[in-house]
Amino acid sequence: MAGISVLSLVWASAVLLVAVRAELKPKTCTEVRLAYGSKGFNHNDVPHQGVNGAQLKVCPQGFTCCTPEMEEKLSQQSRTDLRAPVTQLSSNLQNTFTQRHRHFDQFFKELLDNAERSLHDMFTRTYGVMYVQHAELFKQFFQDLKRYYVSGGVNLEQMLSEFWAGLLERMFKLVNVQYHFTEEYMECVSKHTEQLKPFGDVPRKLKLQITRAFVAARTFAQGLAVIGDVVSKVSTVNASPDCVRAAMKMMYCPYCSGQVALKPCPNYCLNVMKGCLANQADMDTEWNNIMDAMLNLAERLEGPFNIEAVMDPIDVKISDAIMNMQENSMQVSQKVFQGCGQPRPAVPDRVSRSAPDGGFNARFRPYNPEERPTTAAGTSLDRLVPDVKKHLKLAKKFWSTLPESVCAGERVSAGDECWNGTAKSRYDSAVMGNGLANQVANPDVEVDITKPDLVIRRQIMVLRLMTSRLKSAHNGHDVTFFDMSEDGSGEESGSGCEGQHCTSDFVFTPTITKIPPVIVRSGEVSGAVSLPLTSFVLLLGAASLAMLASRG
C-alpha cells in the first residue's frame, strides 16, 4: 500500500515537472512577426521565439515576444490608434455642423441679395426715375442689413429709424415741390417722424420683424460655426502619458504574449476610454445646453422670427408704406407746417424742373404682386431647419457617450474570453462613471483629477457664452460679441465666418443696457471678471446716479 502511494507521488511529480517545462518553453513568435510587420515596423525586430520580458515597462514580464524597443514603438502606435476612432467620430460631427453652417450662411446671404434685387427691379418698374434718383437710400438699407449679419456693429433699430427718416425727407420734398426747404427745416421734419406716422403702422411692424429675425438668423448661424469650431479644438487634445500607457497595455500587450487576435474586454475598454476622455466628458452639460438652445431658436426661425417670411416680401411692405405716405401727404404736410413753421415758396423755375413728368400720382402707383420674382435661391428655411434640428438632437450627449462609441464593434471582444489587461480571461472590475471626478478609482488608467485640461475648460466657457447668446436671441434680444481670439484683433465677430476659420472665443454683453460692457477674459478658466479702469469708474458713476434718482 505504501509502495503504491510512493509510486503515485513520483508520477504526480513527473507530470508537474513536464507541465512546468512546457510552460517555460519559449513560445513561437511567427504570428507576432507578421502582425508587427503589418504595422509598418521591421519584422526582424521580433524574436523568433519568446524571450524573458523582465525589462518590459508596460506588458507582463514573463516570457514574451516583445523587446523593450518593440514595446516603445508599439506605445507610439497605440497613441495613434487611440486617437483614430476619436478623431473619426469628432471629424464626422464637425463636418456635420460645418456643412450646416455653410448652408445657412449661404442661404441668408442669398436671401438678402435676392430681396434687394427684387425691390430694385420692382421699384424701377413701378416708380421709374423717381426711385432711380433716390436708389442710394435703399441700397444703403440693404448694405446695413448685410453688414449686421456678417460682422455686427449695426444698431438695427437706429438704422431703421434713419431709413424711414430719410425716406420721409425725400417724399416730403416730392409732395411739396412748391416749397423750398432748408437743411434745418428737414432736420425738424426728421425729428418728428415717429409722431407724424407718415407711413402708417408699417415701420413699427417692420422694425419688430426685422430685428427679431436678423438677431435670430445671425445668432443661429454663429451657433453652428461655434459648435463646429469647439469640436475641432477639443478633438485635437493630446492624450496624457498615463493614457498612452493604458492604451498600449490594452491594445498591444496581447501581441507580446503571442495572442495577436485577442481583443480587449468591453468593460476593460470602457474604463480605459473613460479615463482617457474624462475631460471631454465634462463638456457634456454645456454641450447639451447649447444643443437645447439651438433647438429652441430653430423653433423661432420656423415661426415668428422667420427671416425668409420677413425679407421675401420686403418690397411689398416698403411700397405699402410709400402708398400710405402718398394718401396722407396733405395731413402730414399740415402737421409739419404747424410744428416746424411755414416754408417759403420755391422759385417757379425750380418747381417746374423738380416736378416729375406726368405728375406725382402717375409715378407712385400700386404694382401687381404677381410680378414679384421668387427669392430664397433654391432652398428655404422649411428645408434647412428640420435637417439641422435632426442633427442637433443626434449630437446630444456626444461627449459622455464617446467611450461607448469607441469601445464597440470590432475594437472589442464579443465574449468573456478576452484580454483583461493581464491575461485572456473575464474582466471583473466595475465600470467608472463619466467625467474627471469619477476617475479617482479607475483601475486601468491613472488620472490626475486635480489638473483639468485647460483647452477643454476654455471650450466649456465658449459653449456657455454661446448658449447665453442663443437664449437672448430666443427672447428677441441682441448681444454684442467681441472677438477674443489669439490674434487680439478686438473686432466684433458676426455670423460672419467669412474665411475658412471661424473663431469661437467670445465674450458678450446685452446691447439693451447702457452700462459699459463687462469684459470676461476667455482664457481665465476661474471665471474672474476684469474691468478696464475707465469702465469701472463709469460703472460706479452709473450706479451712483441710479441710486440718487431712486432716492429723488
Side-chain angles (χ1 to χ4, degrees), residues 1-6:
M1 196 71 179
I4 296 176
S5 299
V6 172

mmCIF file of all heavy atoms in Angstrom, residues 1-6:
data_model
loop_
_atom_site.group_PDB
_atom_site.id
_atom_site.type_symbol
_atom_site.label_atom_id
_atom_site.label_comp_id
_atom_site.label_asym_id
_atom_site.label_seq_id
_atom_site.Cartn_x
_atom_site.Cartn_y
_atom_site.Cartn_z
ATOM 1 N N MET A 1 0.835 -1.194 0.000
ATOM 2 C CA MET A 1 0.000 0.000 0.000
ATOM 3 C C MET A 1 0.868 1.241 0.000
ATOM 4 O O MET A 1 0.634 2.212 -0.718
ATOM 5 C CB MET A 1 -0.894 0.004 1.249
ATOM 6 C CG MET A 1 -2.061 0.967 1.177
ATOM 7 S SD MET A 1 -3.321 0.422 0.031
ATOM 8 C CE MET A 1 -4.490 1.761 0.254
ATOM 9 N N ALA A 2 1.928 1.207 0.809
ATOM 10 C CA ALA A 2 2.863 2.329 0.879
ATOM 11 C C ALA A 2 3.579 2.489 -0.438
ATOM 12 O O ALA A 2 3.866 3.589 -0.895
ATOM 13 C CB ALA A 2 3.863 2.130 2.013
ATOM 14 N N GLY A 3 3.873 1.328 -1.113
ATOM 15 C CA GLY A 3 4.560 1.379 -2.396
ATOM 16 C C GLY A 3 3.730 2.081 -3.442
ATOM 17 O O GLY A 3 4.225 2.825 -4.280
ATOM 18 N N ILE A 4 2.421 1.827 -3.392
ATOM 19 C CA ILE A 4 1.515 2.472 -4.356
ATOM 20 C C ILE A 4 1.503 3.970 -4.149
ATOM 21 O O ILE A 4 1.517 4.761 -5.079
ATOM 22 C CB ILE A 4 0.102 1.881 -4.217
ATOM 23 C CG1 ILE A 4 0.120 0.405 -4.584
ATOM 24 C CG2 ILE A 4 -0.874 2.656 -5.078
ATOM 25 C CD1 ILE A 4 -1.210 -0.291 -4.398
ATOM 26 N N SER A 5 1.514 4.417 -2.888
ATOM 27 C CA SER A 5 1.485 5.855 -2.581
ATOM 28 C C SER A 5 2.741 6.538 -3.072
ATOM 29 O O SER A 5 2.718 7.631 -3.644
ATOM 30 C CB SER A 5 1.330 6.064 -1.068
ATOM 31 O OG SER A 5 0.136 5.505 -0.621
ATOM 32 N N VAL A 6 3.889 5.861 -2.863
ATOM 33 C CA VAL A 6 5.151 6.448 -3.329
ATOM 34 C C VAL A 6 5.155 6.557 -4.837
ATOM 35 O O VAL A 6 5.594 7.546 -5.428
ATOM 36 C CB VAL A 6 6.342 5.610 -2.827
ATOM 37 C CG1 VAL A 6 7.652 6.090 -3.474
ATOM 38 C CG2 VAL A 6 6.439 5.676 -1.313
#
